Amino acid sequence: MKTRSGFRDLVQGVLPEAKVIAEEREATLYVWTDATGARLIITTEGDLVRAVTTSYAGPLGARLADVRAADGGLAIAEIVDADDDVLAGVACELEELQLLGDAEDVPAGDACIVGLGRSVEVFDGPDEFLASDASRMTFAGEEAADDGGEPMRFEPESFSPDGAFTMQVDAVARVNGTVLDVTRHEVERTGQAFTAAQVRTGGFEVTLCVPAGEPDLAPGQVVAASTYLVASMPSLLAA
């Protein structure tokens, strides 16, 4: 949707079809899912739309634990493996955030983590990625080096939750990983085409969404993506 007024019209048009998943005082949380899997998470207060988040109904490729609300309407959590060993911390928008309430002990549960691609570089394989500038680590804008002065590098499948440990929490992360599967869609209401790629990174999977052709993606490639993260944890709906 290229204009603000067009996006507003889209939101108003889908609200009657959206599913209510939470209500608190005057605030109502809706989720609308297109046949392609494209999603809008809409928060209203009375007749006013207060917030809209774009997401995607992807597979449950990760497991979240210790989920809790953070500043700025975000959530922070730990990504864990099947044995509940911690793989990474993460900050994200959480579709079901309003359902957390004051809960302090949210059981671990399977989740879909969607990375909305801000910038994406593509490589034919791990060797090409490791030879590129995209694999170089930087901290506070400075390039990191080992004791021998060689640049430190990300692994081809590595996850860096850049916004999880900053003074002001942000739902941004660096996703380096292997493309496992790619699907291309077009949203009927808007005519906009996009690509959803399942990416293996850091011991779990992220669904990377980018506008069609920006760039073209194929299974077996390695991507280095700067993303904005949105997660869904369906077990919260049954809690």
Side-chain angles (χ1 to χ4, degrees), residues 83-218:
D83 296 320
D84 286 341
D85 292 327
V86 177
L87 299 171
V90 67
C92 60
E93 287 204 36
L94 180 67
E95 292 185 15
E96 302 85 4
L97 182 65
Q98 284 183 245
L99 299 178
L100 288 179
D102 297 324
E104 296 183 357
D105 297 311
V106 177
D110 293 335
C112 169
I113 299 180
V114 175
L116 303 176
R118 292 179 162 184
S119 65
V120 181
E121 294 184 67
V122 181
F123 304 92
D124 286 337
D127 290 342
E128 184 175 316
F129 168 79
L130 288 170
S132 73
D133 288 342
S135 67
R136 295 188 179 213
M137 292 185 182
T138 57
F139 299 100
E142 298 293 329
E143 187 170 287
D146 61 20
D147 292 339
E150 292 297 316
M152 295 177 66
R153 296 183 181 273
F154 288 107
E155 291 295 323
E157 294 185 2
S158 56
F159 177 77
S160 179
D162 299 338
F165 304 107
T166 54
M167 289 293 291
Q168 185 171 351
V169 176
D170 196 358
V172 296
R174 168 69 179 261
V175 177
N176 305 308
T178 302
V179 178
L180 303 178
D181 185 56
V182 176
T183 55
R184 295 174 176 83
H185 305 286
E186 182 174 305
V187 180
E188 183 177 353
R189 283 178 178 269
T190 65
Q192 287 184 301
F194 69 97
T195 298
Q198 201 66 14
V199 176
R200 186 176 60 221
T201 177
F204 58 98
E205 294 180 16
V206 170
T207 303
L208 176 65
C209 291
V210 296
E214 298 183 19
D216 287 323
L217 298 173

Side-chain angles (χ1 to χ4, degrees), residues 209-234:
C209 291
V210 296
E214 298 183 19
D216 287 323
L217 298 173
Q221 293 175 330
V222 172
V223 293
S226 172
T227 66
Y228 185 84
L229 300 180
V230 184
S232 176
M233 192 172 170

Side-chain angles (χ1 to χ4, degrees), residues 5 9 24 32 41 47 76 89 98 133 162 213 216 230 232:
S5 61
D9 291 344
E24 183 179 356
W32 173 78
I41 297 90
D47 294 330
I76 54 176
Q98 284 183 245
D133 288 342
D162 299 338
D216 287 323
V230 184
S232 176

